[in-house]
Structure formats: structure tokens, C-alpha cells
Amino acid sequence: MATGATTCVYGAPPAALAEVPAGAVQVSPLVPGAADLEALTPQSLAGAVVAAPPGTVERRYVLARLLAALAPGAPLTVLAPKDKGGSRLKKELEAFGCAVSETGRQHQRICQTRRPDAPAGLEAAIAAGAPRWSEELGLWTQPGVFSWDRPDPGTRQLLAVLPPLAGQGADLGCGLGVLARAVLAAPAVTRLDLIDIDARAIAAARRNVEDPRAHFHWADARLAPELAGLDFVVMNPPFHDRGLEDRELGQGFIRRAHQVLRPSGVVFLVANRHLPYEAVLNGLFSRVTARGEAAGFKVYEARR
């Protein structure tokens, strides 16, 4: 993607902490429709503002990709909560050869620098954060995706009680495609829509779920795509937004499942034990059954 002399924004910097120029290009795997970080033309950007992700490998990958895309001398502003990687930003940027000035405001660390003529260590950071095959998972994955480097215990709990399904369904918040692979093992399933707000998850799921019945969507599962009359939904709904707990996320997934299911359609979901989903489930579904509880997780079957 040729960007010309453009400023780009990665993530969603708080407006009070980082001024974003008008007309800036939005770049984020978590904003459906945003530009692709990996497609930025080397040394093409006039500047960048970054809301740095909390994961160390992912954060260094993003910074390396943007430093490679910035023109020499172009300004770079990076910010993150102090306890979500912000305390390490200055050292990480200095390791790339940047001269950094640092300030703090509203629990954020804000680093300002310019792209050096010859940044150091970009190739290593990009290689460390790139998509890769995981022998442990038996899947394609990438740092930053949910449970990218280890089996998720909640998903395993749901898989232990998930019966063979039939008809058309959806996997809301599909991640790497672990649930989808199990669902599609049932020959009676005719179609499965996999939806995730993370473009990296969708890219990995496409490689992990090679089945003509699977259809993939980079979207907020609470809003899109248009689905209706489904026989079933499976999900391990998220409850964190940018590292902070947000219980409304999972509740929104439950409401969306109810919306897209046909009468008597069923949803299977797993959640952390402490999350207050029972009231939403009981208020929407005609029958809610606990299917298992172990290791801090609970599994529900809810019939519309």
C-alpha cells in the first residue's frame, strides 16, 4: 500500500494524550476495515501515533513495523498505560536506536522520538512477532491474538462437553479457530460463520480451518455480519478491552447470539466463573442449562 507523505495512527490513542492529525490513516488489526500494518510501504510515512499494545512481543513487532514504514527523521509518538507496557516503552525504543523524550499523564507513559536513519533490530522484532506455526497448539498463530501461545483452558472446558451439532451456525469471537475445527468435525453441520474483531485471528483461522463450509468475517461479532435463523452458536466471549475488564463485552455477545438464532436454536458458551452472565441468559433464553464447571470456568447451553 503506497501511503505517500501520510501520518498513520495505530490503535486508538486517547484524544487528551496524543493529538492525531486530520486525515491520518488508521492502522490496526482490531479496527475492521483499517489499513494493514504489514502493507505499509517502507520509509513512506510522515509520522505515526501509536497506542502500544500490552504484550511485549506484539508491542515490539508493531514498533518495528512502524519504524520501518516511517521516513528518516519522521516523528513517532508512542503511549501506553504505565502498568500495560508503558514503563518499558522508552527502553524498547532506545533499543531500536531512537533518541526518546518521555512524559507521563493520566496514568500513561508518552514517548516521543524520530525515526533514526538506520534503526537497529527491526528484522529480529518483526520475525519474533510474525505469524508462525505452533507445535504445541498444532495451529497457525501470532503474538497478540487471544491465547496465541498456549491452549485456552476455557475453550478446552467447552470442547469437553460440546455435542455434535447440525445445520448452520456461527462461532462468535472465533480466535484461531479451535472451536470451529471441533464443530466442523460433525458432518451434519452445513455452514459455519467464523467472526472475530482481530484481523490476525481471522488470517490464522483461515489457515487452521480448511473446510468449504467455513466462512470468515473480520468484524465486531456483536454487530456484523448479517446473520439470522441459525441453528446454533458457539463462543468463548471476550471480557477484556485493551487489557481492562469489560463485562459488557460478553453480555453483548450473548444478546447477539439470541438475535441470530432461530426459535429453539441453541448457544453453547464458556465463561470465567466470576462473570455475571446468568441474568442475561435467563432473561433472553427459554431454557438455560449448566453443562459443566471446573478450573474457574463454567459452560452453559441456552435454548432460544
Side-chain angles (χ1 to χ4, degrees):
M1 181 182 80
T3 59
T6 303
T7 296
C8 86
V9 176
Y10 184 92
L17 298 176
E19 187 174 337
V20 178
V25 173
Q26 174 74 67
V27 179
S28 174
L30 302 179
V31 179
D36 184 357
L37 174 66
E38 288 73 18
L40 294 172
T41 302
Q43 300 189 32
S44 65
L45 295 178
V49 178
V50 182
T56 300
V57 178
E58 177 192 6
R59 184 173 58 251
R60 294 188 73 251
Y61 174 83
V62 169
L63 294 176
R65 280 285 188 186
L66 287 170
L67 283 167
L70 285 165
L76 171 64
T77 299
V78 188
L79 60 149
K82 185 177 180 180
D83 60 347
K84 304 283 183 191
S87 62
R88 296 185 290 276
L89 280 179
K90 186 172 186 290
K91 287 186 177 180
E92 289 173 346
L93 287 165
E94 288 174 339
F96 290 125
C98 299
V100 183
S101 63
E102 182 182 38
T103 58
R105 200 182 334 164
Q106 297 183 19
H107 308 293
Q108 300 270 333
R109 302 304 298 174
I110 307 170
C111 291
Q112 293 182 313
T113 185
R114 290 184 178 274
R115 197 260 202 198
D117 290 337
L122 299 189
E123 290 186 3
I126 289 171
R132 84 278 304 272
W133 172 260
S134 168
E135 292 291 345
E136 180 181 3
L137 296 174
L139 299 167
W140 284 94
T141 185
Q142 184 174 2
V145 177
F146 170 71
S147 198
W148 71 271
D149 59 348
R150 63 195 182 282
D152 173 61
T155 299
R156 293 171 70 176
Q157 184 73 14
L158 175 52
L159 289 173
V161 300
L162 189 67
L165 299 171
Q168 300 184 64
D171 182 350
L172 304 186
C174 65
L176 299 174
V178 177
L179 282 176
R181 284 158 58 104
V183 169
L184 290 167
V189 172
T190 57
R191 177 186 173 107
L192 183 66
D193 286 274
L194 287 73
I195 306 114
D196 204 288
I197 201 168
D198 192 333
R200 300 164 300 185
I202 290 297
R206 286 183 183 275
R207 304 177 81 168
N208 294 327
V209 185
E210 296 183 306
D211 190 301
R213 295 170 293 168
H215 300 265
F216 303 88
H217 310 273
W218 179 24
D220 184 338
R222 297 169 297 175
L223 304 171
E226 291 298 325
L227 299 171
L230 298 183
D231 299 294
F232 66 87
V233 169
V234 295
M235 60 181 179
N236 180 357
F239 63 98
H240 284 91
D241 184 13
R242 290 177 238 172
L244 301 175
E245 184 170 312
D246 182 356
R247 298 181 178 190
E248 174 58 29
L249 273 174
Q251 293 171 354
F253 270 61
I254 292 169
R255 286 189 283 268
R256 178 63 169 163
H258 178 267
Q259 181 184 37
V260 302
L261 285 169
R262 64 170 173 78
S264 77
V266 63
V267 58
F268 287 90
L269 72 98
V270 63
N272 288 63
R273 183 184 293 150
H274 75 281
L275 294 172
Y277 292 164
E278 290 86 351
V280 179
L281 287 165
N282 288 320
L284 290 173
F285 291 87
S286 63
R287 186 169 77 247
V288 179
T289 306
R291 288 300 184 198
E293 184 170 340
F297 295 91
K298 50 192 176 183
V299 177
Y300 290 103
E301 174 187 346
R303 182 89 40 188
R304 192 178 190 279

